[in-house]
Amino acid sequence: MFIKKGETALRSAEPSDALQIYEWENDREVWHVSDNYVPYSLYQIEQFLQSSNNLVSCNQLRLMIESDGKTIGCIDIFDYDAINERAGLGILIQKDFRHQGHAHNALVMTIQYLFENLMLHQVYCSIDNDNADSQHLFESVGFEPCGHRKQWKKTPNGFTDIFDYQLINNG
C-alpha cells in the first residue's frame, strides 16, 4: 500500500493487475472518457506494467485504488512535466463503487503526493461537458475551470465540448 485515507488506499499497479486493467481499458462504455477507441491486448497491458508505468522515465504512472483490499479503480498521472512542474490526472471507479467517496479520497491523496513529494506546481484535467459527476468531483477538491473547447470531441451523437480544469499549488 502506498497511501491510505479512510477505506480508500492507493498503490502502484502490479503485473497481477493486468487482467483487471485489460477489462477496464476494453470497456467501450468508458472509451469516450479516455479518448481510447481501439481495444488493448492483455499482452500490451502486461508490457505497459512491466516497462512503461514509470512517472520519471515515461511521464506516466497508474495507481490502483483499493477499498477493503479490493481493487475498485485507478488513477492515472500522465503528461508529467518535471521542468514546468505539472501533470494531468484521470480517474476511473468501477460502477458498483461510485458515489461512495473513493474517487474523492483517491484524488486528494494523489494531489497531496504530487504537491508535497514531487513538488509539482499544478495538476490539470479535461472533462466532457456532459460528465457532471467528474466536474463536481474535481471541483470538490479545488480544481477551477480554465478553458472551454467547443465541439472538441466527436461522439456518435455529434460533437461535444470539453472543459479544462487546473489546480495550482499555492502552498
Side-chain angles (χ1 to χ4, degrees):
M1 184 175 342
F2 173 51
I3 307 172
K4 186 170 183 176
K5 179 178 174 72
E7 295 178 18
T8 311
L10 292 178
R11 62 172 177 78
S12 286
E14 299 283 347
S16 60
D17 295 311
L19 188 55
Q20 180 64 68
I21 294 170
Y22 171 79
E23 290 175 14
W24 292 334
E25 291 290 353
N26 289 301
D27 181 352
R28 291 174 32 180
E29 287 184 28
V30 297
W31 276 4
H32 70 283
V33 175
S34 65
D35 286 337
N36 179 46
Y37 300 98
V38 295
Y40 285 99
S41 70
L42 184 56
Y43 176 78
Q44 288 171 305
I45 300 296
E46 290 169 340
Q47 292 301 303
F48 167 78
L49 292 173
Q50 291 176 9
S51 63
S52 301
N53 195 32
N54 185 306
L55 195 57
V56 176
S57 64
C58 297
N59 301 330
Q60 62 183 355
L61 177 66
R62 176 162 290 180
L63 298 173
M64 305 307 284
I65 303 168
E66 291 187 346
S67 176
D68 295 326
K70 180 176 172 61
T71 303
I72 62 165
C74 61
I75 190 159
D76 289 328
I77 304 165
F78 60 91
D79 289 342
Y80 172 68
D81 182 339
I83 293 171
N84 293 298
E85 301 173 357
R86 67 177 174 239
L89 294 177
I91 190 165
L92 173 109
I93 300 288
Q94 287 181 187
K95 284 182 184 180
D96 295 348
F97 295 93
R98 293 179 185 161
H99 304 287
Q100 298 176 25
H102 301 296
H104 183 272
N105 288 346
L107 201 50
V108 166
M109 290 185 287
T110 301
I111 292 165
Q112 182 178 5
Y113 163 70
L114 293 172
F115 284 180
E116 293 178 9
N117 296 97
L118 296 182
M119 296 177 272
L120 292 188
H121 177 63
Q122 66 178 294
V123 289
Y124 65 90
C125 66
S126 298
I127 304 172
D128 293 7
N129 70 327
D130 62 348
N131 192 342
D133 287 344
S134 284
Q135 291 171 17
H136 176 73
L137 169 65
F138 280 86
E139 289 173 2
S140 75
V141 298
F143 278 73
E144 296 180 0
C146 63
H148 179 185
R149 292 181 272 165
K150 296 179 181 179
Q151 298 182 20
W152 191 256
K153 190 186 295 184
K154 188 174 183 178
T155 72
N157 299 320
F159 284 89
T160 188
D161 295 357
I162 298 294
F163 293 105
D164 295 312
Y165 289 82
Q166 71 184 143
L167 176 63
I168 296 177
N169 181 3
N170 290 318

